[in-house]
Amino acid sequence: MILILSLMAPLFGGLFYIAALQCALPPRRWALLGCLFGPAAFPLFMAKRRWSLVCARGMGYALLRA
């Protein structure tokens, strides 16, 4: 079990690094969180990504317009 987790940590770190680069978030911080927590950090990443969009566009902007 420890072997599997130690082999998957760089993979998740790399995936979070690439996703953070695409979303204009600090990539080293998210790579470290990805290495430490793995996929458990994904909801936190998505919340931060959404919050950065709201801050950049403003509260009056709707992503989905009906």
Side-chain angles (χ1 to χ4, degrees), residues 19-63:
L21 279 176
Q22 291 174 347
C23 298
L25 295 173
R28 286 184 290 170
R29 179 184 306 163
W30 287 104
L32 179 64
L33 284 173
C35 285
L36 292 177
F37 298 112
F42 188 68
L44 182 63
F45 176 77
M46 293 303 288
K48 180 65 176 173
R49 180 176 165 229
R50 173 82 173 121
W51 183 250
S52 68
L53 277 173
V54 168
C55 287
R57 293 180 176 165
M59 296 298 277
Y61 185 82
L63 290 177

Side-chain angles (χ1 to χ4, degrees), residues 7-25:
L7 292 176
M8 295 297 281
L11 175 69
F12 285 118
L15 290 175
F16 273 98
Y17 185 85
I18 292 169
L21 279 176
Q22 291 174 347
C23 298
L25 295 173

